[in-house]
Amino acid sequence: MAPVPEPRWRRRKEARPADIVAAALELFTEKGFAAARLDEIARRAGVSKGTLYLYFDSKEALFRAVVRDVVVPNVEALRESVLGSATPFPERLRELLPRFAAIVTALPIGAVAKMVIGESRNFPELAKVWHDDVILKSIGLLVELLEAAQARGEVRAGNPRIQAFSIMGPMLLGILWRETFTPIGGAEVDLVAAARQHAETVIDGLSLKESAR
Amino acid sequence: MAPVPEPRWRRRKEARPADIVAAALELFTEKGFAAARLDEIARRAGVSKGTLYLYFDSKEALFRAVVRDVVVPNVEALRESVLGSATPFPERLRELLPRFAAIVTALPIGAVAKMVIGESRNFPELAKVWHDDVILKSIGLLVELLEAAQARGEVRAGNPRIQAFSIMGPMLLGILWRETFTPIGGAEVDLVAAARQHAETVIDGLSLKESAR
DNA sequence: TATTAATGACTGACTGGTCAGTTAGTAAGG
DNA sequence: CCTTACTAACTGACCAGTCAGTCATTAATA
């Protein structure tokens, strides 16, 4: 009755990159790029450090992979959360913001955003990816919607980018608050609740008023 | 006529700490904590690396000094920008936001905020300083003002912290946009103009409506 | 079906460069 | 000429990246 010897390791060529990226996401978001140790990433991924280099050329390449892997699959979800149906703009805003909040709460987008902001000077091309793929596809789209809504008289006149800031800024504040202050004993933030209340505020603030109609 | 020999260096015991902190502020905001090199900070401050250690115990101590030196003297300015006179809340908001924007545009507070956000996991006590001395003294104060204004019927009912987010969030978005995206070719942001338009939006959004009075 | 050969995924000890922090010595300044 | 602000060469720890060797797995052969 020889005991079945557990192999020291298994071949898992397909699963390794995902394991490594998942571990790297944890470490990078916990510690930031510089303070994240490859030995620790390897340990959490259940591989040796050498294995990292079978799948990624360098620490920087791994960092890029993490950001891209988190961003790219979720850009569409974010984009759809902004697009929605063809209802009037105020109505649309009322569902858009909570949906956005729910997505951001469920995914590690907040942590990655914090990383990208923090490392933007050292990784300008990542800031560019974020800018082009996330920002322009959410804020940019919002700007187009606002321009159209202004033309239809659903939204008051004004610089549409600043209007987009008025809409999305509080979401960013909530996201970064959770990342920065909640871990050190700051207040909890219910992003979805904040989104709902803020939506009402901003709908009122952006609507053309009776008196002006 | 012997040429006056320029001394290789001068004793400037009083001026050194300020020089060093100024150079460190530049490097830390350009590169972040980890990627900033003490040799480079010393070079920009016009001293040798050893001199840094005559005035600061460690790189971390220098980092703390930078954050404190930039933040603490300006907390009062920020606080006053929120306090203002005892005019009704909407009026007050109309001057508060552009004043806040002007202060933040003039000082390197945005860059420091970005640093604190990025390094909050590695320097929780700095996040705490920021939270206690900056946030609670601006957002916290705003919350109190909002509660009072709600009681007076100047502002509609609602969670005052979320209302504060509605007010300040777009400012943060503008600040971080300038730090993150403008350097890589993203659009310019006129913070004061944004503050003015956003103030009108949010005043309207937070006011009690005719119909509800 | 059992045995052997070939493959390549994976390991972990090692290295070279980097950089925070130290210190022996120098010169400014009173 | 003494005190001390300051310099610059130095050190040692740390860590990203390497590579010679190991072994799980698969394919070929008997």
Side-chain angles (χ1 to χ4, degrees), chain A residues 95-128:
Chain A
E95 39 178 310
L96 181 161
L97 280 175
R99 205 186 325 162
F100 177 86
I103 290 171
V104 168
T105 301
L107 300 172
I109 288 179
V112 173
K114 203 184 81 165
M115 261 170 45
V116 170
I117 290 167
E119 301 289 345
S120 63
R121 288 293 215 291
N122 301 325
F123 294 87
E125 88 282 10
L126 276 187
K128 193 133 185 48

PDB file of all heavy atoms in Angstrom, chain A residues 95-128:
ATOM      1  N   GLU A  95     -30.466  55.666 -13.767  1.00  0.00           N
ATOM      2  CA  GLU A  95     -30.050  54.263 -13.691  1.00  0.00           C
ATOM      3  C   GLU A  95     -28.570  54.090 -13.949  1.00  0.00           C
ATOM      4  O   GLU A  95     -27.943  53.158 -13.442  1.00  0.00           O
ATOM      5  CB  GLU A  95     -30.857  53.401 -14.676  1.00  0.00           C
ATOM      6  CG  GLU A  95     -31.138  54.024 -16.011  1.00  0.00           C
ATOM      7  CD  GLU A  95     -31.893  53.058 -16.919  1.00  0.00           C
ATOM      8  OE1 GLU A  95     -31.419  51.909 -17.030  1.00  0.00           O
ATOM      9  OE2 GLU A  95     -32.930  53.440 -17.505  1.00  0.00           O
ATOM     10  N   LEU A  96     -28.026  55.027 -14.735  1.00  0.00           N
ATOM     11  CA  LEU A  96     -26.617  54.944 -15.105  1.00  0.00           C
ATOM     12  C   LEU A  96     -25.700  54.960 -13.888  1.00  0.00           C
ATOM     13  O   LEU A  96     -24.820  54.097 -13.741  1.00  0.00           O
ATOM     14  CB  LEU A  96     -26.324  56.133 -16.011  1.00  0.00           C
ATOM     15  CG  LEU A  96     -24.974  56.417 -16.631  1.00  0.00           C
ATOM     16  CD1 LEU A  96     -25.207  57.372 -17.806  1.00  0.00           C
ATOM     17  CD2 LEU A  96     -23.988  57.033 -15.669  1.00  0.00           C
ATOM     18  N   LEU A  97     -25.886  55.922 -12.995  1.00  0.00           N
ATOM     19  CA  LEU A  97     -24.947  56.091 -11.881  1.00  0.00           C
ATOM     20  C   LEU A  97     -24.947  54.904 -10.915  1.00  0.00           C
ATOM     21  O   LEU A  97     -23.873  54.402 -10.579  1.00  0.00           O
ATOM     22  CB  LEU A  97     -25.223  57.412 -11.149  1.00  0.00           C
ATOM     23  CG  LEU A  97     -24.638  58.643 -11.854  1.00  0.00           C
ATOM     24  CD1 LEU A  97     -25.059  59.926 -11.153  1.00  0.00           C
ATOM     25  CD2 LEU A  97     -23.120  58.582 -11.924  1.00  0.00           C
ATOM     26  N   PRO A  98     -26.112  54.438 -10.453  1.00  0.00           N
ATOM     27  CA  PRO A  98     -26.071  53.260  -9.584  1.00  0.00           C
ATOM     28  C   PRO A  98     -25.476  52.031 -10.273  1.00  0.00           C
ATOM     29  O   PRO A  98     -24.771  51.236  -9.640  1.00  0.00           O
ATOM     30  CB  PRO A  98     -27.534  53.032  -9.225  1.00  0.00           C
ATOM     31  CG  PRO A  98     -28.172  54.364  -9.389  1.00  0.00           C
ATOM     32  CD  PRO A  98     -27.469  55.007 -10.534  1.00  0.00           C
ATOM     33  N   ARG A  99     -25.756  51.886 -11.567  1.00  0.00           N
ATOM     34  CA  ARG A  99     -25.190  50.733 -12.265  1.00  0.00           C
ATOM     35  C   ARG A  99     -23.667  50.837 -12.305  1.00  0.00           C
ATOM     36  O   ARG A  99     -22.946  49.882 -12.046  1.00  0.00           O
ATOM     37  CB  ARG A  99     -25.756  50.639 -13.682  1.00  0.00           C
ATOM     38  CG  ARG A  99     -25.697  49.226 -14.205  1.00  0.00           C
ATOM     39  CD  ARG A  99     -26.108  49.105 -15.655  1.00  0.00           C
ATOM     40  NE  ARG A  99     -27.183  50.033 -16.032  1.00  0.00           N
ATOM     41  CZ  ARG A  99     -27.444  50.343 -17.291  1.00  0.00           C
ATOM     42  NH1 ARG A  99     -26.751  49.801 -18.268  1.00  0.00           N
ATOM     43  NH2 ARG A  99     -28.423  51.180 -17.581  1.00  0.00           N
ATOM     44  N   PHE A 100     -23.183  52.022 -12.628  1.00  0.00           N
ATOM     45  CA  PHE A 100     -21.739  52.274 -12.618  1.00  0.00           C
ATOM     46  C   PHE A 100     -21.161  51.961 -11.234  1.00  0.00           C
ATOM     47  O   PHE A 100     -20.143  51.274 -11.109  1.00  0.00           O
ATOM     48  CB  PHE A 100     -21.480  53.737 -12.989  1.00  0.00           C
ATOM     49  CG  PHE A 100     -20.043  54.141 -12.935  1.00  0.00           C
ATOM     50  CD1 PHE A 100     -19.209  53.932 -14.033  1.00  0.00           C
ATOM     51  CD2 PHE A 100     -19.511  54.743 -11.805  1.00  0.00           C
ATOM     52  CE1 PHE A 100     -17.880  54.310 -13.990  1.00  0.00           C
ATOM     53  CE2 PHE A 100     -18.175  55.118 -11.754  1.00  0.00           C
ATOM     54  CZ  PHE A 100     -17.362  54.903 -12.848  1.00  0.00           C
ATOM     55  N   ALA A 101     -21.844  52.440 -10.201  1.00  0.00           N
ATOM     56  CA  ALA A 101     -21.373  52.206  -8.828  1.00  0.00           C
ATOM     57  C   ALA A 101     -21.311  50.720  -8.511  1.00  0.00           C
ATOM     58  O   ALA A 101     -20.363  50.242  -7.878  1.00  0.00           O
ATOM     59  CB  ALA A 101     -22.279  52.925  -7.832  1.00  0.00           C
ATOM     60  N   ALA A 102     -22.319  49.985  -8.964  1.00  0.00           N
ATOM     61  CA  ALA A 102     -22.351  48.545  -8.681  1.00  0.00           C
ATOM     62  C   ALA A 102     -21.195  47.831  -9.370  1.00  0.00           C
ATOM     63  O   ALA A 102     -20.534  46.979  -8.779  1.00  0.00           O
ATOM     64  CB  ALA A 102     -23.683  47.957  -9.136  1.00  0.00           C
ATOM     65  N   ILE A 103     -20.942  48.200 -10.618  1.00  0.00           N
ATOM     66  CA  ILE A 103     -19.832  47.586 -11.349  1.00  0.00           C
ATOM     67  C   ILE A 103     -18.519  47.868 -10.651  1.00  0.00           C
ATOM     68  O   ILE A 103     -17.691  46.984 -10.434  1.00  0.00           O
ATOM     69  CB  ILE A 103     -19.792  48.112 -12.807  1.00  0.00           C
ATOM     70  CG1 ILE A 103     -20.986  47.572 -13.601  1.00  0.00           C
ATOM     71  CG2 ILE A 103     -18.488  47.715 -13.485  1.00  0.00           C
ATOM     72  CD1 ILE A 103     -21.149  48.211 -14.966  1.00  0.00           C
ATOM     73  N   VAL A 104     -18.313  49.125 -10.287  1.00  0.00           N
ATOM     74  CA  VAL A 104     -17.050  49.522  -9.671  1.00  0.00           C
ATOM     75  C   VAL A 104     -16.882  48.891  -8.295  1.00  0.00           C
ATOM     76  O   VAL A 104     -15.777  48.600  -7.864  1.00  0.00           O
ATOM     77  CB  VAL A 104     -16.970  51.057  -9.594  1.00  0.00           C
ATOM     78  CG1 VAL A 104     -15.828  51.491  -8.713  1.00  0.00           C
ATOM     79  CG2 VAL A 104     -16.797  51.637 -10.992  1.00  0.00           C
ATOM     80  N   THR A 105     -17.992  48.671  -7.592  1.00  0.00           N
ATOM     81  CA  THR A 105     -17.924  48.015  -6.290  1.00  0.00           C
ATOM     82  C   THR A 105     -17.526  46.558  -6.439  1.00  0.00           C
ATOM     83  O   THR A 105     -16.763  46.023  -5.636  1.00  0.00           O
ATOM     84  CB  THR A 105     -19.285  48.111  -5.575  1.00  0.00           C
ATOM     85  OG1 THR A 105     -19.624  49.494  -5.413  1.00  0.00           O
ATOM     86  CG2 THR A 105     -19.223  47.464  -4.199  1.00  0.00           C
ATOM     87  N   ALA A 106     -18.038  45.909  -7.499  1.00  0.00           N
ATOM     88  CA  ALA A 106     -17.818  44.478  -7.660  1.00  0.00           C
ATOM     89  C   ALA A 106     -16.418  44.156  -8.192  1.00  0.00           C
ATOM     90  O   ALA A 106     -15.849  43.130  -7.859  1.00  0.00           O
ATOM     91  CB  ALA A 106     -18.873  43.893  -8.597  1.00  0.00           C
ATOM     92  N   LEU A 107     -15.867  45.044  -8.997  1.00  0.00           N
ATOM     93  CA  LEU A 107     -14.581  44.765  -9.630  1.00  0.00           C
ATOM     94  C   LEU A 107     -13.465  45.557  -8.959  1.00  0.00           C
ATOM     95  O   LEU A 107     -13.724  46.553  -8.296  1.00  0.00           O
ATOM     96  CB  LEU A 107     -14.654  45.140 -11.115  1.00  0.00           C
ATOM     97  CG  LEU A 107     -15.702  44.386 -11.937  1.00  0.00           C
ATOM     98  CD1 LEU A 107     -15.807  44.996 -13.330  1.00  0.00           C
ATOM     99  CD2 LEU A 107     -15.339  42.919 -12.024  1.00  0.00           C
ATOM    100  N   PRO A 108     -12.200  45.115  -9.155  1.00  0.00           N
ATOM    101  CA  PRO A 108     -11.090  45.829  -8.504  1.00  0.00           C
ATOM    102  C   PRO A 108     -10.665  47.077  -9.277  1.00  0.00           C
ATOM    103  O   PRO A 108      -9.511  47.466  -9.249  1.00  0.00           O
ATOM    104  CB  PRO A 108      -9.975  44.788  -8.497  1.00  0.00           C
ATOM    105  CG  PRO A 108     -10.236  43.956  -9.701  1.00  0.00           C
ATOM    106  CD  PRO A 108     -11.731  43.954  -9.903  1.00  0.00           C
ATOM    107  N   ILE A 109     -11.625  47.705  -9.948  1.00  0.00           N
ATOM    108  CA  ILE A 109     -11.296  48.859 -10.781  1.00  0.00           C
ATOM    109  C   ILE A 109     -10.793  50.026  -9.945  1.00  0.00           C
ATOM    110  O   ILE A 109      -9.884  50.752 -10.345  1.00  0.00           O
ATOM    111  CB  ILE A 109     -12.527  49.273 -11.607  1.00  0.00           C
ATOM    112  CG1 ILE A 109     -12.763  48.233 -12.711  1.00  0.00           C
ATOM    113  CG2 ILE A 109     -12.340  50.650 -12.227  1.00  0.00           C
ATOM    114  CD1 ILE A 109     -13.961  48.520 -13.564  1.00  0.00           C
ATOM    115  N   GLY A 110     -11.353  50.179  -8.757  1.00  0.00           N
ATOM    116  CA  GLY A 110     -10.921  51.270  -7.900  1.00  0.00           C
ATOM    117  C   GLY A 110      -9.454  51.157  -7.533  1.00  0.00           C
ATOM    118  O   GLY A 110      -8.696  52.127  -7.634  1.00  0.00           O
ATOM    119  N   ALA A 111      -9.048  49.945  -7.133  1.00  0.00           N
ATOM    120  CA  ALA A 111      -7.659  49.741  -6.739  1.00  0.00           C
ATOM    121  C   ALA A 111      -6.721  49.995  -7.911  1.00  0.00           C
ATOM    122  O   ALA A 111      -5.644  50.578  -7.751  1.00  0.00           O
ATOM    123  CB  ALA A 111      -7.473  48.322  -6.212  1.00  0.00           C
ATOM    124  N   VAL A 112      -7.139  49.548  -9.099  1.00  0.00           N
ATOM    125  CA  VAL A 112      -6.291  49.759 -10.272  1.00  0.00           C
ATOM    126  C   VAL A 112      -6.229  51.239 -10.632  1.00  0.00           C
ATOM    127  O   VAL A 112      -5.169  51.762 -10.991  1.00  0.00           O
ATOM    128  CB  VAL A 112      -6.788  48.923 -11.463  1.00  0.00           C
ATOM    129  CG1 VAL A 112      -6.012  49.260 -12.723  1.00  0.00           C
ATOM    130  CG2 VAL A 112      -6.642  47.447 -11.148  1.00  0.00           C
ATOM    131  N   ALA A 113      -7.361  51.918 -10.500  1.00  0.00           N
ATOM    132  CA  ALA A 113      -7.365  53.355 -10.784  1.00  0.00           C
ATOM    133  C   ALA A 113      -6.369  54.070  -9.880  1.00  0.00           C
ATOM    134  O   ALA A 113      -5.584  54.911 -10.338  1.00  0.00           O
ATOM    135  CB  ALA A 113      -8.767  53.924 -10.569  1.00  0.00           C
ATOM    136  N   LYS A 114      -6.381  53.725  -8.614  1.00  0.00           N
ATOM    137  CA  LYS A 114      -5.451  54.324  -7.665  1.00  0.00           C
ATOM    138  C   LYS A 114      -4.005  54.088  -8.091  1.00  0.00           C
ATOM    139  O   LYS A 114      -3.169  54.994  -8.062  1.00  0.00           O
ATOM    140  CB  LYS A 114      -5.684  53.718  -6.279  1.00  0.00           C
ATOM    141  CG  LYS A 114      -5.208  54.581  -5.139  1.00  0.00           C
ATOM    142  CD  LYS A 114      -5.373  53.892  -3.804  1.00  0.00           C
ATOM    143  CE  LYS A 114      -4.242  52.923  -3.541  1.00  0.00           C
ATOM    144  NZ  LYS A 114      -4.174  52.494  -2.120  1.00  0.00           N
ATOM    145  N   MET A 115      -3.718  52.855  -8.509  1.00  0.00           N
ATOM    146  CA  MET A 115      -2.381  52.503  -8.995  1.00  0.00           C
ATOM    147  C   MET A 115      -1.979  53.328 -10.200  1.00  0.00           C
ATOM    148  O   MET A 115      -0.865  53.838 -10.291  1.00  0.00           O
ATOM    149  CB  MET A 115      -2.370  51.042  -9.416  1.00  0.00           C
ATOM    150  CG  MET A 115      -1.817  50.099  -8.408  1.00  0.00           C
ATOM    151  SD  MET A 115      -2.140  48.399  -8.923  1.00  0.00           S
ATOM    152  CE  MET A 115      -1.716  48.406 -10.653  1.00  0.00           C
ATOM    153  N   VAL A 116      -2.903  53.420 -11.158  1.00  0.00           N
ATOM    154  CA  VAL A 116      -2.603  54.131 -12.398  1.00  0.00           C
ATOM    155  C   VAL A 116      -2.349  55.602 -12.100  1.00  0.00           C
ATOM    156  O   VAL A 116      -1.419  56.215 -12.636  1.00  0.00           O
ATOM    157  CB  VAL A 116      -3.750  53.969 -13.413  1.00  0.00           C
ATOM    158  CG1 VAL A 116      -3.557  54.890 -14.602  1.00  0.00           C
ATOM    159  CG2 VAL A 116      -3.820  52.524 -13.875  1.00  0.00           C
ATOM    160  N   ILE A 117      -3.161  56.176 -11.208  1.00  0.00           N
ATOM    161  CA  ILE A 117      -2.951  57.571 -10.815  1.00  0.00           C
ATOM    162  C   ILE A 117      -1.581  57.723 -10.159  1.00  0.00           C
ATOM    163  O   ILE A 117      -0.801  58.600 -10.515  1.00  0.00           O
ATOM    164  CB  ILE A 117      -4.067  58.021  -9.844  1.00  0.00           C
ATOM    165  CG1 ILE A 117      -5.399  58.133 -10.591  1.00  0.00           C
ATOM    166  CG2 ILE A 117      -3.712  59.351  -9.194  1.00  0.00           C
ATOM    167  CD1 ILE A 117      -6.606  58.268  -9.680  1.00  0.00           C
ATOM    168  N   GLY A 118      -1.289  56.828  -9.219  1.00  0.00           N
ATOM    169  CA  GLY A 118      -0.033  56.938  -8.482  1.00  0.00           C
ATOM    170  C   GLY A 118       1.200  56.746  -9.337  1.00  0.00           C
ATOM    171  O   GLY A 118       2.221  57.376  -9.123  1.00  0.00           O
ATOM    172  N   GLU A 119       1.113  55.857 -10.320  1.00  0.00           N
ATOM    173  CA  GLU A 119       2.279  55.527 -11.139  1.00  0.00           C
ATOM    174  C   GLU A 119       2.252  56.208 -12.499  1.00  0.00           C
ATOM    175  O   GLU A 119       3.035  55.857 -13.386  1.00  0.00           O
ATOM    176  CB  GLU A 119       2.373  54.000 -11.336  1.00  0.00           C
ATOM    177  CG  GLU A 119       2.476  53.193 -10.056  1.00  0.00           C
ATOM    178  CD  GLU A 119       3.830  53.350  -9.349  1.00  0.00           C
ATOM    179  OE1 GLU A 119       4.782  53.855  -9.987  1.00  0.00           O
ATOM    180  OE2 GLU A 119       3.915  52.996  -8.163  1.00  0.00           O
ATOM    181  N   SER A 120       1.361  57.184 -12.673  1.00  0.00           N
ATOM    182  CA  SER A 120       1.183  57.755 -14.017  1.00  0.00           C
ATOM    183  C   SER A 120       2.450  58.415 -14.542  1.00  0.00           C
ATOM    184  O   SER A 120       2.706  58.383 -15.746  1.00  0.00           O
ATOM    185  CB  SER A 120       0.038  58.762 -14.014  1.00  0.00           C
ATOM    186  OG  SER A 120       0.338  59.853 -13.152  1.00  0.00           O
ATOM    187  N   ARG A 121       3.259  58.991 -13.647  1.00  0.00           N
ATOM    188  CA  ARG A 121       4.499  59.611 -14.117  1.00  0.00           C
ATOM    189  C   ARG A 121       5.532  58.564 -14.531  1.00  0.00           C
ATOM    190  O   ARG A 121       6.304  58.774 -15.471  1.00  0.00           O
ATOM    191  CB  ARG A 121       5.105  60.503 -13.033  1.00  0.00           C
ATOM    192  CG  ARG A 121       4.367  61.781 -12.760  1.00  0.00           C
ATOM    193  CD  ARG A 121       4.428  62.744 -13.940  1.00  0.00           C
ATOM    194  NE  ARG A 121       4.485  64.133 -13.520  1.00  0.00           N
ATOM    195  CZ  ARG A 121       3.502  64.800 -12.940  1.00  0.00           C
ATOM    196  NH1 ARG A 121       2.355  64.197 -12.703  1.00  0.00           N
ATOM    197  NH2 ARG A 121       3.648  66.049 -12.593  1.00  0.00           N
ATOM    198  N   ASN A 122       5.558  57.445 -13.818  1.00  0.00           N
ATOM    199  CA  ASN A 122       6.530  56.400 -14.133  1.00  0.00           C
ATOM    200  C   ASN A 122       6.069  55.483 -15.261  1.00  0.00           C
ATOM    201  O   ASN A 122       6.884  54.850 -15.918  1.00  0.00           O
ATOM    202  CB  ASN A 122       6.825  55.562 -12.884  1.00  0.00           C
ATOM    203  CG  ASN A 122       7.375  56.395 -11.737  1.00  0.00           C
ATOM    204  OD1 ASN A 122       8.120  57.347 -11.951  1.00  0.00           O
ATOM    205  ND2 ASN A 122       6.979  56.074 -10.524  1.00  0.00           N
ATOM    206  N   PHE A 123       4.751  55.402 -15.485  1.00  0.00           N
ATOM    207  CA  PHE A 123       4.199  54.568 -16.551  1.00  0.00           C
ATOM    208  C   PHE A 123       3.221  55.382 -17.386  1.00  0.00           C
ATOM    209  O   PHE A 123       2.024  55.088 -17.397  1.00  0.00           O
ATOM    210  CB  PHE A 123       3.506  53.340 -15.973  1.00  0.00           C
ATOM    211  CG  PHE A 123       4.428  52.388 -15.278  1.00  0.00           C
ATOM    212  CD1 PHE A 123       4.748  52.549 -13.950  1.00  0.00           C
ATOM    213  CD2 PHE A 123       5.003  51.327 -15.981  1.00  0.00           C
ATOM    214  CE1 PHE A 123       5.616  51.681 -13.315  1.00  0.00           C
ATOM    215  CE2 PHE A 123       5.863  50.449 -15.344  1.00  0.00           C
ATOM    216  CZ  PHE A 123       6.177  50.631 -14.011  1.00  0.00           C
ATOM    217  N   PRO A 124       3.740  56.384 -18.100  1.00  0.00           N
ATOM    218  CA  PRO A 124       2.816  57.254 -18.848  1.00  0.00           C
ATOM    219  C   PRO A 124       1.982  56.495 -19.869  1.00  0.00           C
ATOM    220  O   PRO A 124       0.835  56.861 -20.127  1.00  0.00           O
ATOM    221  CB  PRO A 124       3.756  58.265 -19.524  1.00  0.00           C
ATOM    222  CG  PRO A 124       5.118  57.701 -19.420  1.00  0.00           C
ATOM    223  CD  PRO A 124       5.136  56.806 -18.229  1.00  0.00           C
ATOM    224  N   GLU A 125       2.537  55.418 -20.420  1.00  0.00           N
ATOM    225  CA  GLU A 125       1.764  54.698 -21.444  1.00  0.00           C
ATOM    226  C   GLU A 125       0.578  53.973 -20.820  1.00  0.00           C
ATOM    227  O   GLU A 125      -0.436  53.752 -21.493  1.00  0.00           O
ATOM    228  CB  GLU A 125       2.671  53.762 -22.263  1.00  0.00           C
ATOM    229  CG  GLU A 125       2.850  52.366 -21.706  1.00  0.00           C
ATOM    230  CD  GLU A 125       3.824  52.335 -20.548  1.00  0.00           C
ATOM    231  OE1 GLU A 125       4.226  53.423 -20.033  1.00  0.00           O
ATOM    232  OE2 GLU A 125       4.188  51.225 -20.123  1.00  0.00           O
ATOM    233  N   LEU A 126       0.687  53.626 -19.526  1.00  0.00           N
ATOM    234  CA  LEU A 126      -0.467  53.032 -18.848  1.00  0.00           C
ATOM    235  C   LEU A 126      -1.527  54.085 -18.581  1.00  0.00           C
ATOM    236  O   LEU A 126      -2.724  53.824 -18.721  1.00  0.00           O
ATOM    237  CB  LEU A 126      -0.044  52.393 -17.534  1.00  0.00           C
ATOM    238  CG  LEU A 126       0.489  50.982 -17.642  1.00  0.00           C
ATOM    239  CD1 LEU A 126       0.712  50.409 -16.250  1.00  0.00           C
ATOM    240  CD2 LEU A 126      -0.471  50.102 -18.414  1.00  0.00           C
ATOM    241  N   ALA A 127      -1.083  55.273 -18.187  1.00  0.00           N
ATOM    242  CA  ALA A 127      -2.032  56.367 -18.021  1.00  0.00           C
ATOM    243  C   ALA A 127      -2.740  56.621 -19.341  1.00  0.00           C
ATOM    244  O   ALA A 127      -3.928  56.946 -19.384  1.00  0.00           O
ATOM    245  CB  ALA A 127      -1.308  57.629 -17.544  1.00  0.00           C
ATOM    246  N   LYS A 128      -1.999  56.443 -20.434  1.00  0.00           N
ATOM    247  CA  LYS A 128      -2.587  56.669 -21.755  1.00  0.00           C
ATOM    248  C   LYS A 128      -3.636  55.599 -22.084  1.00  0.00           C
ATOM    249  O   LYS A 128      -4.725  55.922 -22.576  1.00  0.00           O
ATOM    250  CB  LYS A 128      -1.467  56.673 -22.816  1.00  0.00           C
ATOM    251  CG  LYS A 128      -1.877  57.200 -24.160  1.00  0.00           C
ATOM    252  CD  LYS A 128      -0.868  58.212 -24.705  1.00  0.00           C
ATOM    253  CE  LYS A 128      -1.365  58.827 -26.014  1.00  0.00           C
ATOM    254  NZ  LYS A 128      -2.753  59.290 -25.911  1.00  0.00           N
TER     255      LYS A 128
END
